[in-house]
PDB file of all heavy atoms in Angstrom:
ATOM      1  N   ASP A  60      32.783 -69.092  33.424  1.00 84.00           N
ATOM      2  CA  ASP A  60      31.368 -68.846  33.164  1.00 84.00           C
ATOM      3  C   ASP A  60      30.589 -68.922  34.474  1.00 84.00           C
ATOM      4  O   ASP A  60      30.321 -69.996  34.994  1.00 84.00           O
ATOM      5  CB  ASP A  60      30.854 -69.875  32.149  1.00 84.00           C
ATOM      6  CG  ASP A  60      29.640 -69.360  31.396  1.00 84.00           C
ATOM      7  OD1 ASP A  60      29.192 -68.240  31.709  1.00 84.00           O
ATOM      8  OD2 ASP A  60      29.143 -70.071  30.519  1.00 84.00           O
ATOM      9  N   GLU A  89      17.991 -70.006  30.091  1.00 95.00           N
ATOM     10  CA  GLU A  89      19.427 -70.284  30.116  1.00 95.00           C
ATOM     11  C   GLU A  89      19.781 -71.304  31.198  1.00 95.00           C
ATOM     12  O   GLU A  89      20.598 -72.192  30.973  1.00 95.00           O
ATOM     13  CB  GLU A  89      20.239 -69.002  30.357  1.00 95.00           C
ATOM     14  CG  GLU A  89      21.712 -69.316  30.558  1.00 95.00           C
ATOM     15  CD  GLU A  89      22.663 -68.146  30.484  1.00 95.00           C
ATOM     16  OE1 GLU A  89      22.218 -66.988  30.508  1.00 95.00           O
ATOM     17  OE2 GLU A  89      23.874 -68.408  30.418  1.00 95.00           O
ATOM     18  N   ASP A 105      16.676 -65.080  29.400  1.00 98.00           N
ATOM     19  CA  ASP A 105      17.982 -64.986  30.053  1.00 98.00           C
ATOM     20  C   ASP A 105      17.737 -64.214  31.353  1.00 98.00           C
ATOM     21  O   ASP A 105      17.502 -63.001  31.325  1.00 98.00           O
ATOM     22  CB  ASP A 105      19.010 -64.263  29.174  1.00 98.00           C
ATOM     23  CG  ASP A 105      20.406 -64.373  29.766  1.00 98.00           C
ATOM     24  OD1 ASP A 105      20.529 -64.744  30.948  1.00 98.00           O
ATOM     25  OD2 ASP A 105      21.375 -64.076  29.044  1.00 98.00           O
ATOM     26  N   ILE A 107      19.619 -63.257  33.835  1.00 98.00           N
ATOM     27  CA  ILE A 107      20.589 -62.158  33.976  1.00 98.00           C
ATOM     28  C   ILE A 107      21.554 -62.257  32.808  1.00 98.00           C
ATOM     29  O   ILE A 107      22.327 -63.211  32.700  1.00 98.00           O
ATOM     30  CB  ILE A 107      21.381 -62.225  35.302  1.00 98.00           C
ATOM     31  CG1 ILE A 107      20.434 -62.207  36.503  1.00 98.00           C
ATOM     32  CG2 ILE A 107      22.370 -61.061  35.371  1.00 98.00           C
ATOM     33  CD1 ILE A 107      21.149 -62.223  37.859  1.00 98.00           C
ATOM     34  N   ASP A 108      21.510 -61.274  31.912  1.00 98.00           N
ATOM     35  CA  ASP A 108      22.506 -61.181  30.858  1.00 98.00           C
ATOM     36  C   ASP A 108      23.555 -60.187  31.350  1.00 98.00           C
ATOM     37  O   ASP A 108      23.242 -59.007  31.543  1.00 98.00           O
ATOM     38  CB  ASP A 108      21.877 -60.708  29.539  1.00 98.00           C
ATOM     39  CG  ASP A 108      22.899 -60.777  28.422  1.00 98.00           C
ATOM     40  OD1 ASP A 108      23.351 -61.887  28.116  1.00 98.00           O
ATOM     41  OD2 ASP A 108      23.261 -59.721  27.899  1.00 98.00           O
ATOM     42  N   GLY A 109      24.760 -60.692  31.566  1.00 97.00           N
ATOM     43  CA  GLY A 109      25.784 -59.847  32.197  1.00 97.00           C
ATOM     44  C   GLY A 109      26.021 -60.279  33.629  1.00 97.00           C
ATOM     45  O   GLY A 109      26.183 -59.455  34.534  1.00 97.00           O
ATOM     46  N   THR A 110      26.064 -61.591  33.837  1.00 95.00           N
ATOM     47  CA  THR A 110      26.220 -62.113  35.204  1.00 95.00           C
ATOM     48  C   THR A 110      27.536 -61.670  35.840  1.00 95.00           C
ATOM     49  O   THR A 110      27.602 -61.440  37.047  1.00 95.00           O
ATOM     50  CB  THR A 110      26.116 -63.653  35.188  1.00 95.00           C
ATOM     51  OG1 THR A 110      24.819 -64.003  34.694  1.00 95.00           O
ATOM     52  CG2 THR A 110      26.288 -64.249  36.568  1.00 95.00           C
ATOM     53  N   PHE A 178      33.305 -60.530  24.606  1.00 93.00           N
ATOM     54  CA  PHE A 178      34.261 -61.636  24.509  1.00 93.00           C
ATOM     55  C   PHE A 178      33.727 -62.913  25.138  1.00 93.00           C
ATOM     56  O   PHE A 178      34.437 -63.600  25.873  1.00 93.00           O
ATOM     57  CB  PHE A 178      35.596 -61.209  25.126  1.00 93.00           C
ATOM     58  CG  PHE A 178      36.238 -60.086  24.364  1.00 93.00           C
ATOM     59  CD1 PHE A 178      36.015 -58.757  24.726  1.00 93.00           C
ATOM     60  CD2 PHE A 178      37.018 -60.345  23.252  1.00 93.00           C
ATOM     61  CE1 PHE A 178      36.566 -57.712  23.999  1.00 93.00           C
ATOM     62  CE2 PHE A 178      37.579 -59.305  22.516  1.00 93.00           C
ATOM     63  CZ  PHE A 178      37.357 -57.997  22.895  1.00 93.00           C
ATOM     64  N   ALA A 179      32.465 -63.222  24.831  1.00 86.00           N
ATOM     65  CA  ALA A 179      31.904 -64.503  25.260  1.00 86.00           C
ATOM     66  C   ALA A 179      32.831 -65.641  24.814  1.00 86.00           C
ATOM     67  O   ALA A 179      32.984 -66.645  25.513  1.00 86.00           O
ATOM     68  CB  ALA A 179      30.515 -64.701  24.668  1.00 86.00           C
ATOM     69  N   ARG A 182      35.483 -66.264  27.386  1.00 80.00           N
ATOM     70  CA  ARG A 182      34.959 -66.968  28.563  1.00 80.00           C
ATOM     71  C   ARG A 182      34.705 -68.428  28.246  1.00 80.00           C
ATOM     72  O   ARG A 182      34.848 -69.286  29.097  1.00 80.00           O
ATOM     73  CB  ARG A 182      33.680 -66.293  29.062  1.00 80.00           C
ATOM     74  CG  ARG A 182      33.997 -65.209  30.083  1.00 80.00           C
ATOM     75  CD  ARG A 182      32.760 -64.448  30.477  1.00 80.00           C
ATOM     76  NE  ARG A 182      31.795 -65.268  31.163  1.00 80.00           N
ATOM     77  CZ  ARG A 182      30.552 -64.872  31.416  1.00 80.00           C
ATOM     78  NH1 ARG A 182      30.152 -63.685  31.028  1.00 80.00           N
ATOM     79  NH2 ARG A 182      29.721 -65.650  32.072  1.00 80.00           N
ATOM     80  N   ARG A 205      32.872 -51.935  26.145  1.00 96.00           N
ATOM     81  CA  ARG A 205      32.770 -53.360  26.409  1.00 96.00           C
ATOM     82  C   ARG A 205      32.216 -53.482  27.825  1.00 96.00           C
ATOM     83  O   ARG A 205      32.949 -53.420  28.801  1.00 96.00           O
ATOM     84  CB  ARG A 205      34.159 -53.999  26.317  1.00 96.00           C
ATOM     85  CG  ARG A 205      34.159 -55.517  26.308  1.00 96.00           C
ATOM     86  CD  ARG A 205      33.998 -56.089  27.688  1.00 96.00           C
ATOM     87  NE  ARG A 205      34.076 -57.553  27.679  1.00 96.00           N
ATOM     88  CZ  ARG A 205      33.010 -58.323  27.680  1.00 96.00           C
ATOM     89  NH1 ARG A 205      31.794 -57.797  27.667  1.00 96.00           N
ATOM     90  NH2 ARG A 205      33.151 -59.626  27.733  1.00 96.00           N
ATOM     91  N   GLY A 207      29.612 -55.887  28.812  1.00 96.00           N
ATOM     92  CA  GLY A 207      29.357 -57.235  29.293  1.00 96.00           C
ATOM     93  C   GLY A 207      27.941 -57.757  29.220  1.00 96.00           C
ATOM     94  O   GLY A 207      27.657 -58.802  29.790  1.00 96.00           O
ATOM     95  N   ALA A 209      25.257 -58.474  26.133  1.00 98.00           N
ATOM     96  CA  ALA A 209      24.870 -58.377  24.717  1.00 98.00           C
ATOM     97  C   ALA A 209      23.457 -57.815  24.577  1.00 98.00           C
ATOM     98  O   ALA A 209      23.165 -57.053  23.650  1.00 98.00           O
ATOM     99  CB  ALA A 209      24.963 -59.751  24.068  1.00 98.00           C
ATOM    100  N   GLU A 226      29.495 -59.459  18.060  1.00 97.00           N
ATOM    101  CA  GLU A 226      30.031 -60.439  19.008  1.00 97.00           C
ATOM    102  C   GLU A 226      29.873 -61.829  18.408  1.00 97.00           C
ATOM    103  O   GLU A 226      29.009 -62.054  17.560  1.00 97.00           O
ATOM    104  CB  GLU A 226      29.330 -60.340  20.377  1.00 97.00           C
ATOM    105  CG  GLU A 226      30.006 -61.204  21.433  1.00 97.00           C
ATOM    106  CD  GLU A 226      29.701 -60.827  22.881  1.00 97.00           C
ATOM    107  OE1 GLU A 226      29.111 -59.755  23.114  1.00 97.00           O
ATOM    108  OE2 GLU A 226      30.072 -61.615  23.771  1.00 97.00           O
ATOM    109  N   ASN A 228      29.861 -66.258  19.283  1.00 93.00           N
ATOM    110  CA  ASN A 228      29.632 -67.288  20.303  1.00 93.00           C
ATOM    111  C   ASN A 228      28.583 -66.913  21.346  1.00 93.00           C
ATOM    112  O   ASN A 228      28.698 -67.303  22.512  1.00 93.00           O
ATOM    113  CB  ASN A 228      30.943 -67.677  20.996  1.00 93.00           C
ATOM    114  CG  ASN A 228      31.973 -68.168  19.990  1.00 93.00           C
ATOM    115  OD1 ASN A 228      32.913 -67.452  19.686  1.00 93.00           O
ATOM    116  ND2 ASN A 228      31.730 -69.337  19.427  1.00 93.00           N
ATOM    117  N   LEU A 229      27.610 -66.152  20.949  1.00 96.00           N
ATOM    118  CA  LEU A 229      26.489 -65.886  21.853  1.00 96.00           C
ATOM    119  C   LEU A 229      25.442 -66.984  21.723  1.00 96.00           C
ATOM    120  O   LEU A 229      25.464 -67.771  20.771  1.00 96.00           O
ATOM    121  CB  LEU A 229      25.870 -64.521  21.521  1.00 96.00           C
ATOM    122  CG  LEU A 229      26.792 -63.336  21.806  1.00 96.00           C
ATOM    123  CD1 LEU A 229      26.196 -62.054  21.233  1.00 96.00           C
ATOM    124  CD2 LEU A 229      27.044 -63.185  23.302  1.00 96.00           C
ATOM    125  N   ASN A 230      24.533 -67.003  22.673  1.00 96.00           N
ATOM    126  CA  ASN A 230      23.429 -67.969  22.643  1.00 96.00           C
ATOM    127  C   ASN A 230      22.119 -67.246  22.348  1.00 96.00           C
ATOM    128  O   ASN A 230      22.012 -66.030  22.552  1.00 96.00           O
ATOM    129  CB  ASN A 230      23.334 -68.688  23.984  1.00 96.00           C
ATOM    130  CG  ASN A 230      24.530 -69.588  24.221  1.00 96.00           C
ATOM    131  OD1 ASN A 230      24.759 -70.528  23.478  1.00 96.00           O
ATOM    132  ND2 ASN A 230      25.314 -69.277  25.239  1.00 96.00           N
ATOM    133  N   ASP A 233      20.708 -64.853  24.886  1.00 97.00           N
ATOM    134  CA  ASP A 233      21.394 -63.557  25.062  1.00 97.00           C
ATOM    135  C   ASP A 233      20.831 -62.490  24.121  1.00 97.00           C
ATOM    136  O   ASP A 233      20.896 -61.299  24.427  1.00 97.00           O
ATOM    137  CB  ASP A 233      22.898 -63.675  24.734  1.00 97.00           C
ATOM    138  CG  ASP A 233      23.661 -64.659  25.610  1.00 97.00           C
ATOM    139  OD1 ASP A 233      23.437 -64.656  26.819  1.00 97.00           O
ATOM    140  OD2 ASP A 233      24.489 -65.424  25.062  1.00 97.00           O
TER     141      ASP A 233
HETATM  142  P1  LIG B 317      25.658 -64.042  30.327  1.00 94.34           P
HETATM  143  O1  LIG B 317      26.011 -62.958  31.236  1.00 94.34           O
HETATM  144  O2  LIG B 317      24.192 -64.382  30.336  1.00 94.34           O
HETATM  145  O3  LIG B 317      26.537 -65.258  30.494  1.00 94.34           O
HETATM  146  C1  LIG B 317      29.182 -60.731  27.129  1.00 94.34           C
HETATM  147  O4  LIG B 317      30.252 -60.839  26.267  1.00 94.34           O
HETATM  148  C2  LIG B 317      28.027 -61.567  26.674  1.00 94.34           C
HETATM  149  O5  LIG B 317      28.440 -62.927  26.476  1.00 94.34           O
HETATM  150  C3  LIG B 317      26.893 -61.646  27.674  1.00 94.34           C
HETATM  151  O6  LIG B 317      25.720 -61.533  26.933  1.00 94.34           O
HETATM  152  C4  LIG B 317      27.075 -63.010  28.338  1.00 94.34           C
HETATM  153  O7  LIG B 317      25.888 -63.569  28.804  1.00 94.34           O
HETATM  154  C5  LIG B 317      27.592 -63.820  27.186  1.00 94.34           C
HETATM  155  N1  LIG B 317      28.443 -64.941  27.585  1.00 94.34           N
HETATM  156  C6  LIG B 317      29.352 -64.922  28.546  1.00 94.34           C
HETATM  157  N2  LIG B 317      29.999 -66.102  28.652  1.00 94.34           N
HETATM  158  C7  LIG B 317      29.501 -66.889  27.715  1.00 94.34           C
HETATM  159  C8  LIG B 317      29.778 -68.235  27.312  1.00 94.34           C
HETATM  160  N3  LIG B 317      30.682 -68.980  27.941  1.00 94.34           N
HETATM  161  N4  LIG B 317      29.062 -68.722  26.286  1.00 94.34           N
HETATM  162  C9  LIG B 317      28.168 -67.952  25.670  1.00 94.34           C
HETATM  163  N5  LIG B 317      27.853 -66.685  26.016  1.00 94.34           N
HETATM  164  C10 LIG B 317      28.506 -66.148  27.026  1.00 94.34           C
END
Side-chain angles (χ1 to χ4, degrees):
D60 204 357
E89 173 166 13
D105 189 345
I107 302 182
D108 187 63
T110 299
F178 296 93
R182 270 174 65 191
R205 191 280 183 262
E226 188 160 349
N228 303 106
L229 293 170
N230 292 298
D233 299 317

